Amino acid sequence: MANLHQLVASCVIAMALVHGVVGFGSKSNHGWEYAHATFYGDMSGAETMQGACGYGDLFEQGYGLQTTALSTALFNDGAACGSCFELMCISDTQWCKPRAVIRVTATNFCPANYTKTQDIWCNPPQKHFDLSLPMFSQIAIPKAGIIPVVYRRVLCDKRGGIKFQIKGNPYWILVLVYNVGGVGDVVGVQIKGTTTGWMAMQRNWGQNWQTTVDLRGQSLSFRVTTSDGRMVESNHVVPANWQFNQTFEGVNFSTRR
């Protein structure tokens, strides 16, 4: 059955390439891999908000419902938050929507459940995507419940600059970094005040980064580094009179190599 499954998948991908549905151009150097996909919530996407990556209102932040939760094998303890994927259903049943490819951003976590012996899709070492219902519906009929897919990492095409939402208190600054272009997943953030040098921030959870240095009354700059080693610097993007719970926009990564 495994060989038949792979044969069907290979045929589907080959047909997609022939018809120009999926390309292996400069936007990705990653090949296709096998996984499965389910969905959670309803068509409103309300249950996809406030996920494990620390993002809040996904509509306000520009992600909308083009999102996915990742299984343990893909989530990487939150380091994969913000990464982007293309998915295509490869079932040889009536459930797949032919020639349909979706692009989603990782914003949530599909936790493992070690008490179950069935439906263990999010347990290691399974590679699994738990999509919003609107996105699942674009590649398959929801009645299917779970579908085999192929996926690959792609560059994130985001509008505008990287966003920095400042939270916390005078003794503990927490910065949510979102709307990140390029590969999308942030591995390092540095912050600099008017009177300080560059200081490394620590990942608190998801894409929330922290420092215990009191930077009130100072203009703030940021350096953001992603998993491919690229870095962008946003100088003085936060004015000296900043307040907690405000969001500021910096420089973004280009999606072009």
Side-chain angles (χ1 to χ4, degrees), residues 104-147:
V104 291
T105 302
T107 60
N108 208 348
F109 176 50
C110 183
N113 186 339
Y114 297 105
T115 67
K116 301 174 67 175
T117 58
Q118 295 181 334
D119 301 328
I120 55 173
W121 302 108
C122 289
N123 290 17
Q126 308 286 346
K127 294 181 178 180
H128 189 83
F129 295 84
D130 203 12
L131 302 165
S132 68
L133 179 54
M135 296 310 293
F136 186 94
S137 300
Q138 289 188 28
I139 58 174
I141 298 172
K143 189 176 180 181
I146 183 166
I147 54 172

Side-chain angles (χ1 to χ4, degrees), residues 108-189:
N108 208 348
F109 176 50
C110 183
N113 186 339
Y114 297 105
T115 67
K116 301 174 67 175
T117 58
Q118 295 181 334
D119 301 328
I120 55 173
W121 302 108
C122 289
N123 290 17
Q126 308 286 346
K127 294 181 178 180
H128 189 83
F129 295 84
D130 203 12
L131 302 165
S132 68
L133 179 54
M135 296 310 293
F136 186 94
S137 300
Q138 289 188 28
I139 58 174
I141 298 172
K143 189 176 180 181
I146 183 166
I147 54 172
V149 297
V150 287
Y151 76 94
R152 66 174 179 175
R153 283 284 302 273
V154 293
L155 296 185
C156 303
D157 188 11
K158 304 300 182 184
R159 294 184 178 181
I162 295 176
K163 303 292 181 64
F164 303 95
Q165 183 182 7
I166 302 178
K167 302 177 285 187
N169 57 57
Y171 311 101
W172 175 69
I173 297 176
L174 187 69
V175 179
L176 171 63
V177 181
Y178 66 97
N179 197 53
V180 181
V183 294
D185 51 342
V186 176
V187 299
V189 178

Side-chain angles (χ1 to χ4, degrees), residues 7-22 88 98-99:
L7 177 61
V8 171
S10 298
C11 290
V12 172
I13 295 173
M15 290 177 63
L17 285 167
V18 169
H19 292 285
V21 177
V22 180
M88 178 169 55
R99 299 171 58 86

Side-chain angles (χ1 to χ4, degrees), residues 3 14 51 55 75 81 92 104 122 129 139 147 181 199 224 226 239:
N3 290 335
Y55 304 127
F75 191 65
C81 290
D92 56 348
V104 291
C122 289
F129 295 84
I139 58 174
I147 54 172
M199 301 174 291
V224 175
T226 46

